[in-house]
């Protein structure tokens, strides 16, 4: 049942009254910092916050053995985070007719900052200037992670709580494998819908690519540079391989024709040669080189098939090189091994979000295609539930001076609170019970 104007106004006002506290907590979690594998302290903070609110709170480990058996899980490497996943469960006291259960999911991990001197402010400053809150991970997506919690707080502040089960999740490893959210799936946490407030500029993600990470290592034949023609230069061999992969990227982008949501994008499939290491001495022909890469894939395309195409492209280059024919490049799958998804229109969850967005922003909800990785794919592909990715306005994601709009955080928190109220239904909050 649609929310009454009075209840809508009450919830909107509750978010506004508590927003200074919400903003201060977002600043706090930005200031924690924490690169991959360093998220335990902030997850302890989130665990404490969930527990203090009366949620039944659990820490989950990302079990490498269980993940290795799970289709769609990322590949576990030595760099994989060991920080826990934090899950809080708020059970309803009663069941409201028409109320449905919900997962609120958000990732806590961030990408590297790059050279700090290229930032206007310290990467973990959490400083606010005008409408912008600055800091690595502020937009992507600690603001959204915190908004989930404060949306529930807004309901409690008016004496209400969800009348259906709500599961709130704070996960690491979204930026590299997706294994934090996959661990919640393996543990059996599911609901009638999920909402993830990634920085989507207050739009709903309609379609999302899959992503594969891989490393290519090449050996060379080292000699003194005065006899360079007698050796084999591993770095130059990598150049050849990159050329072959770029040809594959071109072929994959040509397959956008006829693909709904992707055909109008200029370049939906991006191969990123992200890191390179090689050689030991300027006057020696390099004996080794390795690169780390990322490539996207269209929804409906299997990750295994794209991996096979990558192997074939590399092998094709190797056959043209006398040294590589005898010393083939080594490929390691070392992160994402994920497939994309399409959010089919027409679900009740989407209709409820549209109404909540309209009430919070006074504008109609628009849809976008996201040519990047999102954890919503786990819920869409493996749990078959409406997976709504919708969050605040952000800029310079993964870049210098990452920032998120302060007023947009408030609007999105309001929309999430209104969505919970209508999707789950509401019951009276009793401070004597959890």
């Amino acid at each position: 049942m649609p929310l009454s104007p009075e209840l809508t106004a009450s919830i909107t006002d509750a978010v506004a009254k508590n927003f200074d506290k919400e903003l201060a907590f977002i600043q706090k979690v930005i200031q924690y910092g924490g690169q991959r594998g360093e998220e335990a302290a902030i997850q302890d903070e989130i665990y404490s916050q969930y527990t203090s609110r009366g949620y039944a709170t659990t820490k989950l480990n990302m079990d490498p053995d269980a993940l290795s058996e799970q289709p769609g899980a990322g590949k576990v490497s030595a760099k994989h985070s060991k920080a826990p996943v934090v899950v809080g469960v708020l059970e309803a006291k009663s069941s409201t007719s028409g109320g449905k259960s919900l997962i609120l999911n958000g990732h806590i991990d961030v990408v590297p900052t790059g050279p700090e001197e290229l930032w206007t402010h310290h990467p973990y400053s959490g400083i606010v200037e005008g409408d912008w809150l600055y800091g690595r991970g502020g937009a992507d997506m600690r603001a959204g992670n915190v908004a989930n919690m404060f949306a529930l707080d807004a309901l409690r502040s008016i004496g209400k709580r969800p009348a259906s089960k709500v599961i709130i999740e704070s996960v690491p490893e979204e930026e590299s494998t997706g294994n934090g959210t996959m661990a919640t799936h393996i543990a059996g946490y599911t609901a009638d819908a999920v909402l993830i407030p990634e920085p989507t500029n207050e739009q709903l993600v309609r379609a999302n690519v899959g992503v594969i990470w891989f490393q290519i290592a090449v050996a060379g034949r080292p000699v003194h540079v005065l006899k360079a023609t007698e050796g084999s230069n591993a770095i130059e061999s990598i150049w050849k391989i990159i050329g072959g992969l770029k040809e594959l990227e071109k072929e994959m982008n040509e397959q956008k024709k006829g693909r709904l949501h992707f055909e109008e994008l200029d370049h939906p499939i991006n191969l990123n040669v992200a890191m390179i290491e090689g050689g030991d001495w300027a006057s020696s022909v390099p004996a080794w080189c390795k690169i780390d890469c990322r490539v996207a894939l269209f929804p409906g395309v299997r990750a295994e098939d794209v991996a096979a195409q990558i192997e074939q492209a590399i092998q094709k280059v190797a056959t043209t090189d006398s040294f590589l024919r005898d010393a083939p490049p080594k490929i390691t799958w070392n992160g994402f091994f994920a497939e994309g998804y399409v959010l089919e229109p027409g679900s009740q969850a989407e209709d409820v979000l549209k109404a909540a967005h309209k009430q919070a922003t006074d504008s109609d909800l628009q849809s976008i295609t996201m040519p990047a990785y999102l954890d919503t794919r786990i819920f869409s592909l493996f749990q078959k539930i409406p997976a709504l990715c919708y969050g605040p306005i952000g800029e310079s994601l993964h870049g210098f001076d990452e920032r998120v709009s302060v007023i947009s955080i408030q609007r999105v928190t309001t929309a999430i609170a209104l969505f919970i109220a209508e999707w789950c239904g509401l019951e009276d909050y009793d401070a004597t019970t959890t």
Side-chain angles (χ1 to χ4, degrees):
M1 179 181 297
L3 304 180
S4 69
E6 294 77 16
L7 182 56
T8 298
S10 181
I11 292 171
T12 301
D13 185 56
V15 172
K17 286 181 177 177
N18 204 31
F19 187 68
D20 285 349
K21 185 177 179 181
E22 177 179 354
L23 183 61
F25 190 69
I26 296 170
Q27 291 176 292
K28 181 179 181 179
V29 296
I30 291 172
Q31 290 160 359
Y32 265 95
Q35 290 295 303
R36 189 181 188 189
E38 300 171 350
E39 306 95 349
I42 190 171
Q43 288 292 73
D44 286 344
E45 173 74 38
I46 296 295
Y47 181 92
S48 176
Q49 293 290 330
Y50 288 179
T51 302
S52 70
R53 286 162 168 80
Y55 308 155
T57 310
T58 303
K59 289 182 179 179
L60 299 176
N61 292 321
M62 294 174 283
D63 181 0
D65 293 335
L67 290 165
S68 69
E69 297 175 358
Q70 173 63 46
K75 306 302 181 181
V76 177
S77 70
K79 295 182 178 180
H80 196 283
S81 178
K82 294 181 174 61
V85 176
V86 179
V87 180
V89 178
L90 181 60
E91 295 278 5
K93 295 182 296 179
S94 59
S95 179
T96 296
S97 177
K100 295 178 174 59
S101 59
L102 177 66
I103 293 173
L104 297 170
N105 173 286
H107 71 84
I108 206 68
D109 54 318
V110 300
V111 302
T113 64
E116 291 185 10
E117 63 270 19
L118 296 178
W119 287 70
T120 303
H121 308 287
H122 188 278
Y124 299 128
S125 68
I127 193 169
V128 174
E129 286 188 348
D131 184 50
W132 294 110
L133 168 59
Y134 287 85
R136 172 59 82 229
D140 188 14
M141 64 162 288
R142 292 184 178 182
N145 189 310
V146 172
N148 284 335
M149 187 166 60
F150 276 80
L152 289 167
D153 285 355
L155 301 179
R156 185 169 62 176
S157 72
I158 63 169
K160 298 293 182 181
R161 53 181 276 158
S164 299
K165 180 190 290 188
V166 173
I167 302 167
I168 185 169
E169 302 171 346
S170 178
V171 304
E173 279 292 312
E174 190 274 350
E175 296 284 6
S176 43
T177 59
N179 285 345
T181 292
M182 187 61 82
T184 72
H185 169 65
I186 292 172
Y189 291 99
T190 189
D192 294 314
V194 62
L195 191 152
I196 303 182
E198 288 272 13
T200 66
N201 296 330
E202 300 181 5
Q203 298 169 300
L204 175 66
V205 175
R206 178 64 61 197
N208 173 233
V209 296
V211 170
I212 294 176
W213 273 14
F214 58 100
Q215 184 182 89
I216 305 170
V218 171
R221 181 183 293 115
V223 296
H224 192 288
V225 71
L226 67 86
K227 295 184 177 181
T229 58
E230 297 179 12
S232 179
N233 189 311
I235 294 175
E236 292 181 2
S237 294
I238 283 286
W239 289 349
K240 297 177 184 178
I241 290 171
I242 291 172
L245 291 174
K246 284 296 183 180
E247 285 298 316
L248 175 60
E249 177 191 42
K250 181 180 178 181
E251 293 172 9
M252 292 172 71
N253 274 290
E254 289 172 352
Q255 296 169 13
K256 72 178 184 177
K257 297 175 181 177
R259 291 185 182 272
L260 184 63
H261 312 301
F262 291 92
E263 189 169 18
E264 301 304 317
L265 298 184
D266 289 338
H267 203 269
I269 301 299
N270 290 310
L271 168 78
N272 188 41
V273 182
M275 293 180 282
I276 183 167
E277 298 178 82
D280 300 296
W281 193 253
S283 291
S284 298
V285 170
W288 67 281
C289 188
K290 61 182 180 181
I291 56 174
D292 282 82
C293 303
R294 171 269 196 202
V295 71
L297 49 148
F298 290 116
V301 175
R302 298 196 322 155
E304 289 86 352
D305 293 340
V306 174
Q309 288 179 286
I310 292 168
E311 291 174 344
Q312 292 165 9
I314 295 171
Q315 178 61 29
K316 182 178 178 181
V317 173
T319 60
T320 67
D321 183 285
S322 59
F323 183 81
L324 292 180
R325 280 198 297 268
D326 295 329
K330 180 181 178 181
I331 308 169
T332 303
W333 312 104
N334 61 353
F336 291 119
F337 209 75
E339 295 168 1
Y341 73 93
V342 172
L343 175 67
E344 298 297 338
S347 71
Q348 183 183 357
E350 183 176 336
D351 289 343
V352 172
L353 182 61
K354 285 180 178 179
H357 172 82
K358 179 73 170 180
Q359 292 160 339
T361 68
D362 196 29
S363 61
D364 294 330
L365 181 62
Q366 303 297 316
S367 296
I368 57 171
T369 298
M370 183 73 77
Y373 175 83
L374 295 171
D375 267 354
T376 27
R377 59 102 189 182
I378 294 171
F379 301 99
S380 178
L381 297 176
F382 299 103
Q383 296 195 2
K384 308 297 184 184
I385 62 175
L388 308 175
C389 190
Y390 162 86
I393 296 169
E395 291 185 355
S396 198
L397 313 180
H398 292 211
F400 302 123
D401 293 339
E402 179 181 349
R403 51 197 173 269
V404 59
S405 164
V406 173
I407 190 62
S408 182
I409 298 170
Q410 183 175 339
R411 287 195 297 260
V412 165
T413 305
T414 302
I416 295 171
L418 294 171
F419 177 85
I420 296 168
E422 185 171 344
W423 180 256
C424 299
L426 293 176
E427 62 186 18
D428 290 338
Y429 173 76
D430 182 355
T432 64
T433 62
T434 57

